[in-house]
């Protein structure tokens, strides 16, 4: 860990804290490198109960369609993020698009 330029203990601790927080939120580590500190995490798509959403859609006369579409597009896809330390030693998080 000493060969990483501009990386202090505080920055490394922040890096590992962010990874731990994402793991607690349901992400799993797909790839990790400690020499160039970065990690790629992903969260599997959540199951959407379309039967229940259709019933709520009918009961609200279609108003629930906005929430249903949001849940389908946001929670129905795998989500990947990159957490890394840049050249200045700051931890950043970025969404990986497929």
């Amino acid at each position: 860990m000493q060969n990483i330029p501009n990386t202090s203990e505080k920055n490394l601790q922040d890096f590992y804290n962010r990874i731990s927080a994402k793991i607690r939120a349901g992400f799993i580590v797909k790839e990790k490198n400690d020499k160039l500190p970065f990690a790629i995490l992903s969260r599997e798509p959540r199951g959407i109960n379309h039967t229940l959403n259709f019933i709520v859609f009918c009961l609200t006369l279609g108003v629930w369609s906005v929430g249903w579409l949001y849940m389908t597009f946001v929670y129905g896809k795998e989500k990947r993020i990159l957490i890394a330390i840049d050249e200045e030693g700051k931890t950043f998080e970025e969404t990986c698009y497929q």
Side-chain angles (χ1 to χ4, degrees):
M1 297 274 178
Q2 284 75 10
N3 60 356
I4 302 168
N6 298 324
T7 302
S8 68
E9 266 316 300
K10 181 182 176 210
N11 294 338
L12 284 174
Q13 190 62 40
D14 182 42
F15 172 70
Y16 290 119
N17 286 342
R18 284 193 188 199
I19 291 174
S20 297
K22 292 297 180 182
I23 290 172
R24 286 191 300 272
F27 284 86
I28 56 173
V29 177
K30 291 287 189 176
E31 185 177 341
K32 184 177 176 185
N33 187 336
D34 287 329
K35 288 187 180 182
L36 297 170
F38 77 88
I40 297 176
L41 296 96
S42 84
R43 181 175 57 199
E44 297 298 320
R46 296 180 186 169
I48 307 294
N49 187 346
H50 291 289
T51 305
L52 175 65
N53 281 298
F54 181 72
I55 292 170
V56 175
F57 169 81
C58 291
L59 291 175
T60 61
L61 303 174
V63 175
W64 179 241
S65 63
V66 175
W68 187 8
L69 286 172
Y70 177 79
M71 286 176 33
T72 301
F73 288 116
V74 172
Y75 296 120
K77 295 190 300 186
E78 178 184 26
K79 184 174 182 179
R80 287 187 171 190
I81 58 170
L82 166 74
I83 300 176
I85 297 179
D86 64 8
E87 294 86 16
E88 298 173 357
K90 297 179 183 175
T91 305
F92 69 93
E93 184 176 319
E94 192 172 291
T95 303
C96 297
Y97 297 102
Q98 293 131 2

